[in-house]
Amino acid sequence: MPSRRLVSLAAHVLGAALLLSTVPAVAATAAERRPAPAAPTVEAAEVMPHLQALQRIADRNGGNRAHGTKGYAESVAYMKHALDRAGFQTQLRRFSHDGKDGYNLIADWQGGDPDHVLLTGAHLDSVTMGPGINDNGSGSAAVLTTALQVAKAKLKPERHLRFAWWGAEELGMVGSADYVKNLSAGDRKAIDLYLNLDQAGSKNLQQYLLVKDAKNNETAAFQAFEKWFTDRGLATFDIPLDSSDSQPFGDAGIPSSGFSSGVSDCIHSACDNLANVDPATQATSTNAMIGVVWQFATTKPAPAKPAAPTAPAPTAPATASAATRS
């Protein structure tokens, strides 16, 4: 028989083993309770270089970055290069309008629930009359900066994150409409929310214009943007769904929101250049988009509601007897 000393030693060893076996479960529970990472903030110096690059592209391509031009192609290439380097999976979606090829740039971040997609976008094209630095290089730069912050933080989102830059918005939201039209029913259903940003750096800022999607009863994103701005003492005003690329999504039943810093003094003309953008407003708009994207990216999607039970089909009446037939 073992001695009392050996029995005591064995009991200590067994107790220690049992204690160690519980550590991974405790650690996992603590990790599950860990709060979501706070949204980062950026300075104007982190956003304005993208606008400077778009201005240079316009300068060497006839002063614009319009649909079907070399200026637009180079704008797409600039965005794609930055996203590829950051680790996004990118693709170009070609469409045709007015006999010219256009492109939507789509960038997916790894991870997140593919059945719950948060899509954030901005149109990248300008009009032919000018470089389109505020309309809408500013929105494009803000969305790019948001995406790059996701990569920098190595964010592990709950929802799958997708970012997009649309072509030919200035010709009637052609690029975004083409994207929505070509979504399968499953892909369309998977998009929980679309966020749009059009004109992020207007110099004559009076109030932020928030997209309110009454058609789809979207309130969560609208209220998130409203809270972000009002918490900082910034005035807001509601605008309808059909103000920009949010319209094709809303019309297809995809809840949508977003915002604009307002129409600038110099729009759709040659003077919509770097001087037409206020760096402080650009930084504020970018941080608003980062903040709301972070909020929805790190929030676990609500489970789908179970389908209502189907009522049993009514029982067919018994065959009428010969005596009752007409």
Side-chain angles (χ1 to χ4, degrees):
M1 292 180 65
S3 67
R4 290 181 180 178
R5 178 181 175 83
L6 290 175
V7 171
S8 177
L9 179 61
H12 280 297
V13 171
L14 179 60
L18 289 172
L19 178 61
L20 288 173
S21 69
T22 65
V23 169
V26 173
T29 302
E32 289 172 3
R33 294 175 181 172
R34 191 175 302 149
T41 57
V42 298
E43 302 293 333
E46 297 174 76
V47 192
M48 293 303 293
H50 302 309
L51 293 178
Q52 293 162 2
L54 294 177
Q55 179 71 67
R56 290 193 296 270
I57 288 170
D59 289 344
R60 62 176 175 258
N61 288 287
N64 72 79
R65 303 177 302 99
H67 165 71
T69 67
K70 188 177 178 183
Y72 183 73
E74 288 189 16
S75 299
V76 172
Y78 173 84
M79 297 285 173
K80 187 176 187 302
H81 178 69
L83 293 158
D84 288 338
R85 288 186 61 188
F88 282 83
Q89 181 179 1
T90 62
Q91 56 179 306
L92 294 178
R93 301 279 186 92
R94 185 174 66 85
F95 62 89
S96 182
H97 183 71
D98 285 348
K100 299 175 182 178
D101 285 343
Y103 296 91
N104 294 323
L105 171 61
I106 312 297
D108 285 271
W109 182 244
Q110 64 268 24
D113 187 344
D115 292 328
H116 293 276
V117 176
L118 173 61
L119 175 58
T120 304
H123 80 85
L124 184 55
D125 64 311
S126 76
V127 294
T128 57
M129 294 81 76
I133 300 304
N134 190 45
D135 183 17
N136 184 40
S138 63
S140 292
V143 172
L144 176 62
T145 303
T146 301
L148 296 181
Q149 287 297 310
V150 165
K152 183 178 179 180
K154 296 181 172 59
L155 187 64
K156 299 183 185 303
E158 296 287 347
R159 288 176 167 87
H160 180 74
L161 299 184
R162 181 173 299 148
F163 297 89
W165 290 263
W166 311 118
E169 187 271 354
E170 297 291 5
L171 302 177
M173 295 164 283
V174 177
S176 55
D178 183 82
Y179 176 82
V180 172
K181 179 184 70 175
N182 286 293
L183 288 171
S184 68
D187 288 341
R188 182 178 301 182
K189 183 179 178 182
I191 302 175
D192 286 346
L193 179 65
Y194 173 65
L195 303 177
N196 192 70
L197 183 48
D198 194 345
Q199 299 185 65
S202 302
K203 296 186 76 172
N204 60 340
L205 175 69
Q206 297 179 4
Q207 54 194 354
Y208 275 92
L209 310 180
L210 310 187
V211 175
K212 191 167 189 177
D213 181 3
K215 182 172 186 176
N216 296 296
N217 298 315
E218 198 293 313
T219 57
F222 172 82
Q223 290 172 356
F225 281 121
E226 186 174 50
K227 183 177 189 309
W228 196 96
F229 288 116
T230 56
D231 282 353
R232 291 157 180 80
L234 299 169
T236 64
F237 185 80
D238 306 356
I239 58 174
L241 181 69
D242 60 356
S243 57
S244 185
D245 287 299
S246 52
Q247 181 178 352
F249 290 90
D251 286 349
I254 298 170
S256 303
S257 189
F259 68 92
S260 171
S261 60
V263 177
S264 66
D265 291 331
C266 195
I267 186 172
H268 290 179
S269 59
C271 59
D272 187 9
N273 52 29
L274 273 175
N276 194 39
V277 171
D278 176 55
T281 300
Q282 180 71 44
T284 298
S285 296
T286 304
N287 284 321
M289 184 58 80
I290 292 172
V292 173
V293 165
W294 233 258
Q295 177 179 330
F296 283 90
T298 58
T299 302
K300 200 170 186 64
K305 293 181 180 178
T310 304
T315 304
T319 304
S321 65
T324 59
R325 291 174 189 161
S326 58

